[in-house]
Structures are given as C-alpha cells and as structure tokens.
Amino acid sequence: MNGWASRLSKGFGLGLNLGIDLGTSNILVWVHGEGLVLNEPSVVAVEKNSGRVLEVGAAAHDMLGKTPGNIVADRPMREGVIADYTLTQRMLSQILRRIAGKRPLFKPQIVLSVPSGVTGVERRRHPGRGGDGRRALRGLPLSREPMAAAIGAGSAHRERWRNMIIDIGGTTDIAVISLGGAVVSASVRTAGYSMDLAIVRHIRRIHNLMIGERTAEEIKIQIGSAFKLEPELTMSVRGRDMINGLPRTVTVHSAEVREALVEPVGAIVERVKGILEETPPELGGDIIERGIVLTGGGSLLRGLERLLSIETSIPVRVAEDPMLCVVRGTGKALEHIDAMAYSIFEPPPPTLPADL
C-alpha cells in the first residue's frame, strides 16, 4: 500500500474514528469500537434572519411543514447529493459536536459515504472535500456506497466477492462486485425520495388533496408496495383540499399507491436489467447462484424483492437491517483500513481552481 491509501491508513487509530452515512432521509453515525451511535432524520431547522441552527435530526423532523415564517425546516440532502451545501455542513457540525461531547476527543477521523454516480463537481462539493474552510470538515475520505453496503450486508469476503448489490437510499446504487472492486456499476437518481414525490403527485391528481413529503413517506411505509398484496391495505390520509383550501381526510388504498409507484420502481428494475446485461458471463453465473442483495431503506418497500426476482429470474433477498448496511460497512472498513482502503474509499480528487 502506498500513496494516498498509506496516508489514509496512518491517520486512523487514535482519537475518535467515525463512519457516517449522510443520507437523504437519515444520517447514521458509526463509532469505531462502539458501533451505531446515531440514527436520526437528515433535517435541519434554522432561523431565517440569523441563520442560527435551532434543531437537527428528530427534533427538526417534527417541525417539517409546521414552522412559522421566521424558521425553515428542510432536508439539505436530495436524491443522495447535497441540495444545500451550507445547511449540510451545519447539520454535520452539530451532529459531530453532539457525539464528541460525550467522549474524550483528539482530532476526529471521519469517513463519509457517497453514491457511486455522483458527478465530479458533486464529489468535490461534498462536505468531506472542503467547502467553507472549516478545518474539522476538510479532507475527509469518501467511501463508495455500494462497496460499503456489500461489506455491511456480510457479502464482502475478499476471496468470494462475487455479488450484486442494490442499495436503495437517496439514490439507487447498483454494483456487481468481484475480488474487491465493482466490475459494473450504476447510480440512478430514482429511489425513496422519488417514490415520495410520486405519491404526492398521485394524491393531488386523484383526490385533489395536497399533502407534504412527510405524509407521503408515511403512506409509502404503511401501505406502499411494488407487488400485489394479500390482503390489500388502506390508510386514512389528511391534507388540504385543493378546491376550497380546507382540511380534509380521504381513504387511500394500497393498490393506488402501487400504481403511483410504477414509474420510480420501474426505473429501478430497468436499470438493474441493464447492469445484468453488461455483466461478464462468468460473473453472471455467480450472481444466479448467489442471488441479489438489497440494502438501504428503499429495499423495505413491500414486494420489491419479489418483483425484482420475477423480472430478472434471479433470487433476491433483503439484507438484515438494510438501512444500516452502508454505515456498518464503513465502520467495518475503519477496523480493517489497511486491507480495504483501495476497495471502499474514493481517492482524493485533483486540485481544482478556487472558483469551482
């Protein structure tokens, strides 16, 4: 091991070593030697005039759609990448202070996960690559989400790394992994958040009812599905009538939610088929034998593994604790930094002009 990987390895070991899955829906933090220490919504509430952070995580999530005019509660991450860089840094800084406040702290060593399909500009704009000059958040190594998910799902023993991983979080990351690297991979900006927006549009179109993203997420969790349910489910949904502007309650059926999700789920299925077509035949046989592993919060959508199995004719299973796979994998990589540096971590980008 040499170059940047050697320098990365030497930086870990002392102080507080953290693996962070900075997701669209949740931020998860893994502390080396302790395990998962934080799993909260990726939401920040700030005061408009002063820019002061009021709440982060679960407390800020409870404020979504309920804030007065001088307070903004929002998700700074959208579809797996940063929508608001400043808010993301503030959220991360607050989380780090909360965790470090309970422990003796030297200089923390932190690894952040990123989707495999982020662009070069998005990668450089990630909090782990610099930004506003805060030294505590600069120069952090970035982990490749599909590799981290494979390790966290227990599918990444080096001598038999021949698996297909589908991580459905803020984005859908698909990778065919063999011998410590991704042979074929792709990232689709269609995942859990896209499903929520599809439900919002459906309820507005069919029921003339305006609902928020938080309500749409609850609908997806409680009655959403990718395959026919036996029995079908119903749910009472409250929102604002688009005609008279008054509050109204409607009954939503799982069948109509499934119809609303046809487009985002279909996009994921088609991209998985595309990756399988690009996979070398030798690895294709291994995937048929070992099956496909689903990770990420989006993999919990009812019937998704069944639909994928039917569409691909390959066994599909959901990993144990799928939402924790990426952060668990990053944590395991911290424990074996020497062996996994090249497999899981992104090398640093070249130096760029200051205006990029």
Side-chain angles (χ1 to χ4, degrees), residues 91-111:
M91 177 179 69
L92 190 55
S93 296
Q94 289 284 341
I95 292 295
L96 292 179
R97 278 196 287 268
R98 184 189 304 179
I99 294 170
K102 304 175 183 178
R103 302 165 175 81
L105 182 65
F106 298 98
K107 184 177 180 180
Q109 300 291 341
I110 305 164
V111 175

Side-chain angles (χ1 to χ4, degrees), residues 206-277:
I206 302 300
H207 297 281
N208 285 323
L209 195 72
M210 182 67 71
I211 62 172
E213 295 173 14
R214 183 177 175 184
T215 300
E217 185 178 26
E218 292 175 357
I219 294 172
K220 178 183 66 180
I221 292 171
Q222 292 192 30
I223 64 173
S225 68
F227 205 85
K228 186 175 180 180
L229 299 178
E230 295 291 346
E232 296 287 357
L233 306 173
T234 61
M235 176 180 174
S236 295
V237 176
R238 298 190 187 98
R240 188 179 75 239
D241 193 297
M242 294 183 63
I243 297 175
N244 58 30
L246 298 177
R248 182 161 62 92
T249 301
V250 299
T251 299
V252 177
H253 297 262
S254 56
E256 63 177 297
V257 177
R258 185 164 57 252
E259 180 183 348
L261 296 178
V262 164
E263 183 177 344
V265 170
I268 294 172
V269 171
E270 289 305 310
R271 198 65 190 95
V272 170
K273 289 181 178 180
I275 290 295
L276 287 170
E277 290 173 0

Side-chain angles (χ1 to χ4, degrees), residues 21-28 38-43 75 77 91 217 323:
D21 180 7
L22 192 59
T24 301
S25 298
N26 288 69
I27 179 170
L28 300 94
L38 184 135
N39 181 1
E40 293 197 17
S42 302
V43 183
R75 298 183 185 273
M77 303 285 294
M91 177 179 69
E217 185 178 26
M323 291 184 64

Side-chain angles (χ1 to χ4, degrees), residues 173-195:
D173 287 285
I174 310 163
V176 175
I177 298 170
S178 177
L179 301 175
V183 178
V184 188
S185 65
S187 184
V188 185
R189 297 289 172 90
T190 302
Y193 180 63
S194 303
M195 296 178 191

Side-chain angles (χ1 to χ4, degrees), residues 146-156 295 319-321 324-330 332:
M147 296 300 301
I151 295 170
S155 301
T295 65
E320 184 179 353
D321 295 328
L324 306 184
C325 286
V326 170
V327 73
R328 185 190 295 124
T330 303
K332 288 183 178 179

